Amino acid sequence: MNYPVTELSSWHALANHAPILKKSVLRDLFFDYPERGHWFAAHGAGLYLDYSKNAVNEETIRLLIQLAEERFLPQRRAAMFSGEIVNLSEERAALHTALRAPRDAMILAEGRNVVPGIHAMLDRMREFSEQVRNGTWTGASGKPIRHIVHIGIGGSYLGPEMAYQALRSFRQKGLDVRFVANVDGAAFIEATETIDPAETLFIVCSETFTTPETMANARAARQWIVTALGEQAVSRHFVAMSTNADAIREFGIASEQTFGFWNWVGGRYSMESAIGLSTMIAIGPAHFEQLLQGFRAMDEHFLHAPMEENLPILMGLLSIWNNNFLGADTLAILPYAHELRRLPAYLQQLHMESNGKCVGEHGESLTHQTCPIVWGEPGTDAQHSFYQLLHQGTRQIACDLIGFCEPLSGLAEHHDQLMANLFAQAEALAFGKSAEDLRTEGVSEKTIPHQVCPGNRSSNVILAEALTPYTLGSLVALYEHSVFVQGAIWGVDSFDQWGVQLGKALAQRILPALSANKMNFNLHDSSTQGLLNRYLRHKMS
Ligand code: F6P
């Protein structure tokens, strides 16, 4: 397994095969094989994936599957699901799949079945959620809770915020959730300025309970409650999620209001753990169960569907193909659903914190490209900003367009228009518009070069019936497993994130000087020092 991926025969074969597909034209591929749209498609766990508008043929898929086999993907997948240590640098299992396992499953981590503990936690979350939702959990002055403020950052925030937006139609009326992640005080002020402390519950989420941004916001929240309602109110207005029970106790939150989880769940894989309490309160335990079922269905599909029909495997391998062999080193996430507007941000962390690495899992330097840059915005907004570059720019950009057959808004006409745009954009990206087409339409010779759209831009279309909790769980698990597949092929540890430590440590070194208004010359390079001095001069003036 330690063998460089670039030395594998399938990698070489793909490298030799790539120039043929680079030269091929999607129009011709569809002309030669009119059934292509049906053939290069797969479905599972409520999702339909059309990948026919990628520059692939049957041979490409065969070679990519050979690559997965040569890279022992089935064995790696089994190791992850069964709780083996797959996060080598931190010597941990990565058992997020256990979070959605059924009650009677048996999954061992360090020799102990983790499933009963997970379900005990879910039961406590259900009980607490119901109390908040039906008003039996009140604030210190007896008022029911009407506002939840979820405090956390990165994986302790992006999933819950994304899910809260995505599942808007399933939320309980009269109960809103706000999110505070940034240590910029404006985020805290914005979340709290119009709400009544007596009706507010803070949910502090931090795996480590040491993350400075989260701790600063949690302290501000504590102060806000104490100022308005007194010290004794803290116990009615705070709950916490963490693996660090001691730090929560020190903060002053009682163990009954603490929901733990485990260090074998990485932050970016934790939205259905206790970190999802705000989601459960917002949509209710029954809908949360449907979310878990969606995750579970995609887990089953990933485990059992043959590779050539397996959505996460196909998506992961296509991403490798586009990135490593065709040079599309960015991936645009383009949901045609207003509710999924935070999906690109969520998937940025999922992909880039997992696979943004230049070192292999055994510490070796990697010579091949790893994670693509992930970005995106919902359609149709994005069509009026950056799609110009997608259609006529000099780069190849892989695109995932995501849409739903049923509208959630009740405005059916809007929905047809929205989906017409999705289908049209995928068509335009693939087939473009040639000079010949334009000439036939009578376009002037002068403007023809400007109007030509070269086409041949790779895209996946993911289509589901409706954006429900089930579909969302399935969609998130699809991307989780696709990221896993890519990491396994590249040979990186997809579950650590050492790269974020350096900046955090340097900020902690700079902060005391800023707080004390002290100009420490010669501690930093001339650029950093110059910026610090400028900031301090302004602060002290
Ligand atoms: O930025 C790195 C990171 O550790 C993420 O992986 C994590 O999701 C985030 O910070 C928050 O960490 P915590 O949950 O420990 O506060």
Side-chain angles (χ1 to χ4, degrees):
M1 284 207 201
N2 202 356
Y3 200 65
V5 65
T6 49
E7 309 274 309
L8 295 173
S9 60
S10 51
W11 189 275
H12 285 292
L14 283 161
N16 291 332
H17 176 70
I20 305 168
L21 269 298
K22 262 189 191 170
K23 263 190 264 148
S24 66
V25 176
L26 276 168
R27 266 182 199 231
D28 297 341
L29 292 177
F30 272 85
F31 184 80
D32 294 345
Y33 185 23
E35 287 306 299
R36 184 181 166 86
H38 305 292
W39 188 251
F40 292 102
H43 61 91
L47 303 180
Y48 178 79
L49 167 69
D50 177 346
Y51 62 95
S52 62
K53 296 192 187 83
N54 284 276
V56 293
N57 61 19
E58 281 177 56
E59 176 67 354
T60 324
I61 300 300
R62 191 188 68 73
L63 288 172
L64 286 168
I65 289 175
Q66 189 188 328
L67 174 66
E69 279 160 356
E70 287 183 12
R71 210 57 179 157
F72 302 103
L73 180 67
Q75 292 87 331
R76 284 172 177 261
R77 177 181 58 188
M80 178 179 72
F81 272 85
S82 63
E84 280 180 41
I85 298 209
V86 290
N87 176 354
L88 298 185
S89 77
E90 296 182 310
E91 298 184 12
R92 287 178 190 164
L95 264 182
H96 44 286
T97 50
L99 296 171
R100 51 257 194 169
R103 215 175 262 277
D104 58 357
M106 168 127 140
I107 301 168
L108 302 180
E110 293 165 9
R112 293 184 55 194
N113 184 11
V114 297
V115 179
I118 290 166
H119 279 272
M121 189 57 65
L122 282 169
D123 290 342
R124 282 191 58 216
M125 287 167 63
R126 275 183 204 114
E127 196 186 332
F128 185 74
S129 299
E130 287 298 11
Q131 286 175 4
V132 175
R133 287 166 63 84
N134 64 27
T136 51
W137 181 275
T138 58
S141 60
K143 284 189 169 179
I145 298 299
R146 290 182 50 225
H147 314 288
I148 309 281
V149 181
H150 177 119
I151 296 178
I153 199 163
S156 292
Y157 139 76
L158 284 161
E161 190 194 40
M162 181 274 290
Y164 182 70
Q165 305 294 358
L167 301 176
R168 186 187 55 79
S169 320
F170 300 86
R171 292 185 210 152
Q172 173 158 313
K173 303 268 176 298
L175 188 60
D176 62 68
V177 183
R178 290 130 194 263
F179 294 86
V180 180
N182 199 331
V183 77
D184 185 334
F188 182 82
I189 301 292
E190 189 180 51
T192 54
E193 65 191 348
T194 57
I195 57 178
D196 177 0
E199 299 177 330
T200 302
L201 176 75
F202 286 95
I203 300 186
V204 184
C205 291
S206 173
E207 185 178 350
T208 54
F209 226 72
T210 57
T211 303
E213 293 93 330
T214 300
M215 291 300 103
N217 283 320
R219 283 192 298 274
R222 198 178 195 288
Q223 194 51 53
W224 188 76
I225 287 292
V226 170
T227 305
L229 305 168
E231 186 71 37
Q232 79 295 341
V234 170
S235 64
R236 300 299 297 177
H237 293 268
F238 277 86
V239 292
M241 280 71 207
S242 181
T243 56
N244 188 347
D246 294 344
I248 298 179
R249 210 172 307 116
E250 246 168 66
F251 185 84
I253 300 176
S255 56
E256 311 84 68
Q257 273 125 260
T258 299
F259 297 82
F261 56 107
W262 305 269
N263 71 5
W264 35 259
V265 181
R268 55 193 176 272
Y269 298 91
S270 70
M271 63 173 267
E272 73 281 29
S273 72
I275 293 289
L277 182 68
S278 60
T279 315
M280 194 190 270
I281 295 174
I283 65 171
H287 287 134
F288 197 87
E289 178 53 34
Q290 289 167 16
L291 179 80
L292 294 177
Q293 281 170 12
F295 272 103
R296 210 176 287 155
M298 185 53 75
D299 291 346
E300 291 295 319
H301 172 85
F302 179 46
L303 274 171
H304 302 299
M307 288 216 208
E308 59 282 2
E309 295 166 22
N310 192 307
L311 269 61
I313 294 183
L314 287 167
M315 290 247 309
L317 292 174
L318 286 164
S319 183
I320 302 256
W321 171 245
N322 286 326
N323 179 8
N324 293 89
F325 297 97
L326 300 186
D329 55 7
T330 87
L331 168 66
I333 305 289
L334 309 167
Y336 279 71
H338 178 68
E339 283 90 349
L340 284 183
R341 61 193 175 280
R342 291 295 283 158
L343 186 69
Y346 174 76
L347 292 181
Q348 273 177 336
Q349 188 201 20
L350 183 64
H351 283 79
M352 299 203 274
E353 199 165 73
S354 298
N355 288 336
K357 291 161 191 171
C358 59
V359 167
E361 60 189 336
H362 300 285
E364 69 281 18
S365 294
L366 299 178
T367 53
H368 51 274
Q369 284 290 353
T370 59
C371 192
I373 296 162
V374 177
W375 56 295
E377 278 288 322
T380 57
D381 317 25
Q383 287 171 208
H384 297 272
S385 66
F386 58 74
Y387 272 43
Q388 164 64 36
L389 181 143
L390 299 185
H391 289 293
Q392 288 189 316
T394 52
R395 295 164 197 278
Q396 274 291 346
I397 291 162
C399 300
D400 285 355
L401 295 94
I402 303 165
F404 302 91
C405 299
E406 290 172 27
L408 289 180
S409 65
L411 299 175
E413 202 185 308
H414 277 60
H415 196 66
D416 285 344
Q417 201 174 329
L418 177 73
M419 292 305 287
N421 274 281
L422 184 159
F423 300 129
Q425 289 297 332
E427 208 173 22
L429 287 165
F431 306 117
K433 188 155 205 172
S434 65
E436 217 169 276
D437 293 339
L438 289 160
R439 216 160 273 132
T440 320
E441 287 174 12
V443 173
S444 77
E445 283 302 318
K446 189 177 160 219
T447 60
I448 281 178
H450 300 283
Q451 293 196 36
V452 166
C453 287
N456 279 329
R457 315 279 162 142
S458 294
S459 71
N460 291 315
V461 174
I462 299 170
L463 194 60
E465 279 178 17
L467 179 51
T468 60
Y470 179 94
T471 317
L472 184 69
S474 174
L475 184 66
V476 171
L478 167 63
Y479 276 101
E480 283 180 353
H481 296 319
S482 164
V483 163
F484 171 79
V485 168
Q486 293 170 63
I489 303 288
W490 290 317
V492 301
D493 183 338
S494 298
F495 301 106
D496 64 13
Q497 58 282 321
W498 295 102
V500 301
Q501 297 304 332
L502 175 61
K504 281 187 194 174
L506 291 181
Q508 291 313 305
R509 193 166 68 128
I510 289 172
L511 180 60
L514 297 190
S515 307
N517 294 339
K518 264 220 233 97
M519 296 208 206
N520 281 330
F521 293 99
N522 304 327
L523 250 187
H524 303 277
D525 62 275
S526 58
S527 160
T528 311
Q529 194 61 57
L531 293 165
L532 289 174
N533 293 348
R534 205 174 170 80
Y535 176 82
L536 281 172
R537 265 200 305 275
H538 184 78
K539 192 180 165 196
M540 294 190 294
S541 63

